Amino acid sequence: MENITLTVNGMSCGHCVNSIEGSVGKLNGVKNVSVDLDNGKVQVKFDSNVVSLNEIKETIDDQGYDVE
């Protein structure tokens, strides 16, 4: 398992949290997603043999947020 913390811009409310946690959490290989709205961070615990960091970033990007 890998743990990463991504900086995500554009998150401002509970809907943003639900959108990201819901979409990333559905990816195969993702075990846990936690959004820190106040600091603009998303922590993801995932199996890199099943899902890539790129796929996670693309999923967040597809929800309309900017991943650094």
Side-chain angles (χ1 to χ4, degrees):
M1 285 294 149
E2 289 190 42
N3 287 302
I4 57 162
T5 300
L6 301 170
T7 300
V8 179
N9 297 313
M11 300 184 301
S12 61
C13 64
H15 171 74
C16 301
V17 172
N18 292 336
S19 177
I20 290 174
E21 288 183 349
S23 61
V24 174
K26 289 179 184 174
L27 293 173
N28 285 335
V30 172
K31 301 299 178 195
N32 187 42
V33 183
S34 177
V35 175
D36 180 351
L37 194 59
D38 292 335
N39 294 309
K41 304 287 184 187
V42 176
Q43 291 184 319
V44 185
K45 183 176 183 178
F46 67 104
D47 183 344
S48 59
N49 293 319
V50 179
V51 64
S52 72
L53 178 55
N54 245 9
E55 288 176 277
I56 293 168
K57 287 181 176 181
E58 286 176 10
T59 299
I60 294 171
D61 187 60
D62 287 347
Q63 296 300 311
Y65 306 101
D66 181 36
V67 183
E68 291 183 17

